[in-house]
Amino acid sequence: MLNKLDLTRVADDEIVASLPRPNLDDLAPEELVSEIISAVRGSGDKALIHYAEKYDGRAPEFLAVPESEIASALDSIPNELREALQVAANRIEKFHQTQTLEGETTTDDGITVETRHQPVLRAGCYVPGGRAAYPSTLLMTAIPAKVAGVSEVIVCVPPDASGSVNPATLAAAQIAGVTSVYAIGGAQAVAAMAYGTETIPAVDVIVGPGNIYVATAQRQVAGDVGVASSFAGPSEIVIIADQSAEAKYAAIDLIVQAEHGPDGLAWLISWEQAVIDEILLELESMVSDSNRAEMIAEKFANEGYAVLVKDSHQAMKVANSVAPEHLQLMTSDPTKLLDLLQNAGAVFLGSMSPASVGDYVAGPSHVLPTHGSARFAGALTVADFCKDMHIISLDAPALMDLGKSVIEIAESEGLSGHADSIRVRLEDV
């Protein structure tokens, strides 16, 4: 079921080299994505329709989902789902409000610097769709943008086989208060948000997870438009378990992330062989009963590992090297492992804290770094929709006091104009 890996005889300084990791350069469809982006930049809506017909089997009836359809979506879904989406939305909004920052002003020796955390004007949220609906992702991307103060929040989401956007996703759009929804997905949707088409406006920031094509497209347009620094690609989980872990909990949580689709990874780590064996037995039984058994089994075969390590320190060294999107510490005292933690998108402690809670209602965005980008990036936050602007003012004594330093540094760099801009002022002062 999972590929077995024994690291008990591997030295700590050889752990990283011993771990199997997919090469993103081999996986990422760089050339195809570049071609799609170029086509959308050149042909706009025409290219969007072409790729929808080519990859989705048909073009949507409307690229822009009618406002009336979005408005009526809340009434078209079951009451229980509507209430659950509202619970999630409330918790997401409440959490992200803790991330908002007031501007700061400092004055030091006559220099006043004001920092303004300025939201972008328009944000684009990519929400996966097509085979499945992810209203939670719409909430997890659009609500932080709204809390940040973004004026316009647009959403691109692939339509289903009928050419329509799932009503639950549209209901989430209504709850989140997005500006507009477009029935288009894939790399072409990222290109449309980055550069604009006749129908879809260009945005300042693009956020949201997706498959390898979507993530690659975001990486390629970065620089022309703001993109979160993490690589939000296929779903990942690493579970560290000891004898206290309930085998059925660990098994189902491995399946939870695997059922998102192909690629990504699912790792089980323990320093007790009996724990691994018990979880694998549960896992095999659960997968055979799943309605996505074939897809899950394929993912486990490609990027699933059961890793036997020497001890908890080596377990955390492996986890830090993998830098997973989700890390579950299913041990008797998971807080002890936190001192060893360096890299993870989100961490879940104990048997009653499955990653699925983070996927929906914990509050922080479930848009998390994947493919090792947790080494340098974290979850989507309000800050991803803002930019810092500094407003600087000096009085005459401050310029006299600091001007000589400016002149000296400017002259050393051969920038006489910079130095002269100070000299002419000092002469007048």
Side-chain angles (χ1 to χ4, degrees), residues 1-2 7 82 88-89 129 133 156 229 234 257 274 291 296 316 332 337 383 395 400 411 424:
M1 184 59 64
L2 297 180
L7 300 179
R82 182 167 64 247
C156 281
S229 60
Q257 300 307 321
N291 58 3
I296 294 170
M316 291 303 295
S332 56
L337 299 181
D395 57 22
M400 291 180 65
E411 292 286 9
V424 296

Side-chain angles (χ1 to χ4, degrees), residues 269-281:
I269 305 173
S270 181
W271 46 93
E272 300 179 44
Q273 185 64 58
V275 170
I276 292 176
D277 292 341
E278 186 179 5
I279 293 172
L280 290 181
L281 194 62

